[in-house]
Amino acid sequence: MKALIDRLNAEKTLSRAEWTALFAGFDDETREYAAEIARGIARARFGNGVYFRGLIEFTNICRNNCYYCGIRAGNACAARYRLTKDEILGCCARGYAAGFRTFVLQGGEDPFFDTERLSGIVAAIRAGYPDCAITLSVGEMPRGDYEALFRAGANRYLLRHETANRAHYERLHPDRMSFDNRMRCLSDLKAIGYQTGCGMMIGSPFQTPECLADDMLFLRAFEPQMIGTGPFLPHHDTPFAGEAPGSVELTLFVLSLCRIMLPDVLLPATTALGTASEDGRRRGVLAGANVIMPNLSPAARRKDYMLYDNKATGGEDAAETLSVLRAHLSEIGYELRVGRGDYGGNR
């Protein structure tokens, strides 16, 4: 297995059969070997700095019914909310004062936030904080809507592909959702000029080593600027409530392999990883991650944006959250780095 990792490090690619063998047969020694290489690559490119982004979960209303998601349209038990424009700008103000220079607006596919309304919010953030990056993560849209949001001032877009295996995708989503449309959206986003992020759930129901091999082949071909990947975690009000959570160790292994394959990629240690393991974010950084996304949403609403059970929501105050993160990262020889942290501008 180490020979495959060495080859990946040298050639930045493997065959589908080799990827499958790697995922089917890795052990802790292999994972730690990959982490050591990935950590060295990340250190060479980013030093000991970890970028931080302010996550604003502005609506938990969603038209979709993905079988794994706690805010799916079919969950009648969810306490629904929308933040107002002023509330969103208030989150940005508190975050900016604490040192955040990237804001990530994340929400369900909420018809209330149409392109005109969302463009107005983006434009207001851009006018108020011209030195900041604005990331959107609001799902699938027609290309024209993506273009309008880009013109309004959005720089980045996160749209997790969830799985690059068509048959697997269709087992995670209802019929109205299309694998081809998800891939079309990602292609459009990159063509428009967004710094584009995708990513997958590790250990989601029906995932096989072959599915993960397809994910890695897709990432290699697509070359995203960001990869958001974390373990599958079940939610009690979804069809997958009884499914086992994804493996922390496999998630860390995937993080390391992504860093080795795409050395410059922006790679978060996700909230899901921090939920699955108390020291998950630190372990993610040691596996090659270089981004953390603390929550800037109003504290009273964080418990309602529950994509999975027991989600780690962080401290109530932005400055306090950063203080805790600084202390945790210092213990492993890393530090938070202030700045936008754009792709290609990190070295």
Side-chain angles (χ1 to χ4, degrees):
M1 291 296 159
K2 289 184 178 180
L4 284 177
I5 293 171
D6 287 338
R7 187 166 158 214
L8 176 64
N9 191 26
E11 301 179 14
K12 305 306 179 189
T13 189
L14 294 174
S15 71
R16 187 173 191 265
E18 289 168 330
W19 279 121
T20 300
L22 195 56
F23 288 121
F26 85 99
D27 55 17
D28 283 343
E29 184 179 0
T30 308
R31 177 180 57 77
E32 291 168 2
Y33 182 68
E36 182 180 356
I37 293 174
R39 191 162 56 248
I41 292 170
R43 281 275 193 167
R45 279 163 166 75
F46 309 104
N48 71 336
V50 175
Y51 291 104
F52 56 101
R53 316 332 195 163
L55 183 62
I56 303 171
E57 297 161 334
F58 67 98
T59 176
N60 73 344
I61 297 169
C62 189
R63 64 182 178 179
N64 291 328
N65 240 334
C66 305
Y67 300 143
Y68 49 82
C69 184
I71 65 169
R72 64 195 304 265
N75 180 8
C77 298
R80 304 293 181 176
Y81 74 90
R82 295 182 177 112
L83 299 186
T84 67
K85 180 179 179 179
D86 286 344
E87 286 175 318
I88 294 169
L89 292 174
C91 293
C92 294
R94 290 188 293 275
Y96 191 87
F100 288 83
R101 294 299 179 266
T102 293
F103 302 120
V104 181
L105 271 61
Q106 179 174 293
E109 292 190 17
D110 183 350
F112 175 81
F113 287 102
D114 58 16
T115 304
E116 181 179 359
R117 183 172 278 115
L118 194 53
S119 292
I121 292 169
V122 169
I125 297 172
R126 172 59 57 227
Y129 307 96
D131 56 330
C132 292
I134 302 172
T135 302
L136 298 178
S137 182
V138 289
E140 298 178 1
M141 294 181 177
R143 177 167 177 151
D145 292 354
Y146 287 145
E147 290 173 339
L149 292 167
F150 188 76
R151 289 193 299 270
N155 311 96
R156 306 172 185 156
Y157 204 103
L158 300 174
L159 179 64
R160 297 210 313 185
H161 66 280
E162 304 298 4
T163 174
N165 181 287
R166 180 187 298 272
H168 186 210
Y169 184 93
E170 291 172 353
R171 300 186 77 177
L172 301 178
H173 302 88
D175 290 344
R176 69 170 297 275
M177 297 187 68
S178 162
F179 176 83
D180 289 333
N181 192 57
R182 181 65 57 100
M183 291 300 175
R184 187 273 305 166
C185 288
L186 285 167
S187 295
D188 284 350
L189 288 164
K190 201 169 185 189
I192 290 165
Y194 284 97
Q195 292 182 42
T196 305
C198 55
M200 57 279 195
M201 288 184 295
I202 307 303
S204 58
F206 317 115
Q207 188 179 72
T208 64
E210 288 80 7
C211 292
L212 286 170
D214 289 339
D215 284 319
M216 301 307 287
L217 291 170
F218 167 70
L219 293 173
R220 174 67 273 181
F222 185 65
E223 293 190 332
Q225 284 84 26
M226 301 168 278
I227 301 172
T229 186
F232 162 74
L233 298 173
H235 187 286
H236 63 279
D237 286 324
T238 68
F240 292 159
E243 299 289 339
S247 162
V248 170
E249 285 68 31
L250 178 55
T251 302
L252 293 169
F253 189 45
V254 171
L255 281 173
S256 295
L257 296 175
C258 288
R259 172 61 66 208
I260 295 169
M261 183 174 68
L262 297 167
D264 292 316
V265 75
L266 296 164
L267 193 61
T270 61
T271 302
L273 184 58
T275 299
S277 173
E278 185 177 352
D279 62 347
R281 281 175 162 173
R282 282 181 287 183
R283 294 180 70 188
V285 170
L286 291 172
N290 70 316
V291 174
I292 292 178
M293 300 206 305
N295 203 322
L296 289 178
S297 307
R301 290 301 189 183
R302 293 180 197 175
K303 61 180 174 52
D304 296 326
Y305 199 86
M306 204 56 64
L307 307 182
Y308 43 80
D309 287 342
N310 305 311
K311 178 185 169 188
T313 57
E316 294 191 9
D317 178 77
E320 177 187 0
T321 297
L322 292 186
S323 178
V324 171
L325 285 174
R326 283 192 179 93
H328 287 170
L329 290 173
S330 177
E331 292 172 2
I332 57 172
Y334 287 79
E335 63 182 19
L336 289 179
R337 180 166 295 167
V338 176
R340 288 168 44 126
D342 289 298
Y343 178 84
N346 308 290
R347 283 174 282 181

